[in-house]
Amino acid sequence: MVDDGNDHALELEQHLGFQRRLLWVRRTGNVLLIAGLLAALAGAFGAGGPLSQAGATAEAVEARFPRFARYRGPARLEVEVRTPAVAGDTFSLAIGGEHARQFTIERITPEPERMASTDGVLELTFAVAPGEFQSVTLEGRPESMGSMSGTVAVDGRPPLPIETFVYP
């Protein structure tokens, strides 16, 4: 071959600063994607998992409620009352705060003997069933987004705080 003096090599600029920034953006995106996936699997977005449920306990009552819920999606509040701590043949369950005002109740199991709502507190009266514990389940849907704070109390005892974050 004859060398005619023309060098036809392809000249490219490397832009090392841009390549480093692009690599950092990709790595950060991958880390955020994996963190979001792990949070979803753990229940941080309200669909099961160890983070999705919370609980509160006092002397005679235990409440289990969703830590995360969806706006107008199904949610369940479960309250368990120690029946030996209840005086008489009925007990009163009081639900206060935003859980009483911003939560549409669709079903209560067992059915209460009496229901009353005063000053933003929903009061349900139940007959005491035989056994060591009595479970009450309220199923419904949150009607507001954001943080919902409320309380659950049995027979005038100190209330248990319940907190749910409602996603859109």
Side-chain angles (χ1 to χ4, degrees), residues 17 32 40 66 69-70 84 90 92 107 112:
L32 292 175
R70 292 278 180 197
T90 64
S92 175
R107 182 167 51 174

Side-chain angles (χ1 to χ4, degrees), residues 101-163:
R101 294 187 301 270
Q102 301 295 326
F103 189 80
T104 300
I105 297 174
E106 296 174 345
R107 182 167 51 174
I108 303 172
T109 308
E111 199 166 309
E113 288 185 349
R114 189 171 57 91
M115 288 178 38
S117 180
T118 56
D119 297 329
V121 176
L122 177 64
E123 190 167 329
L124 309 167
T125 303
F126 296 93
V128 175
E132 185 73 19
F133 293 97
Q134 170 116 15
S135 292
V136 176
T137 303
L138 288 84
E139 297 177 26
R141 300 180 184 279
E143 294 296 329
S144 67
M145 291 180 264
S147 182
M148 286 178 52
S149 298
T151 59
V152 173
V154 173
D155 284 339
R157 289 187 172 90
L160 295 175
I162 55 177
E163 182 83 29

Side-chain angles (χ1 to χ4, degrees), residues 9-96:
L10 186 59
E11 292 183 22
L12 297 175
E13 294 182 30
Q14 291 186 355
H15 300 288
L16 291 177
F18 175 76
Q19 289 178 2
R20 282 188 195 107
R21 285 191 302 274
L22 181 61
L23 181 61
W24 181 85
V25 167
R26 283 184 176 176
R27 285 182 181 164
T28 303
N30 286 339
V31 167
L32 292 175
L33 183 66
I34 290 170
L37 181 62
L38 291 175
L41 290 173
F45 301 115
L51 294 179
S52 66
Q53 293 292 317
T57 305
E59 56 188 72
V61 63
E62 179 180 340
R64 288 180 301 280
F65 51 92
R67 183 175 285 142
F68 304 105
R70 292 278 180 197
Y71 174 64
R72 293 193 177 168
R76 171 184 279 188
L77 169 64
E78 297 173 353
V79 180
E80 198 167 84
V81 179
R82 286 194 52 227
T83 51
V86 174
D89 58 346
T90 64
F91 68 93
S92 175
L93 177 66
I95 300 167

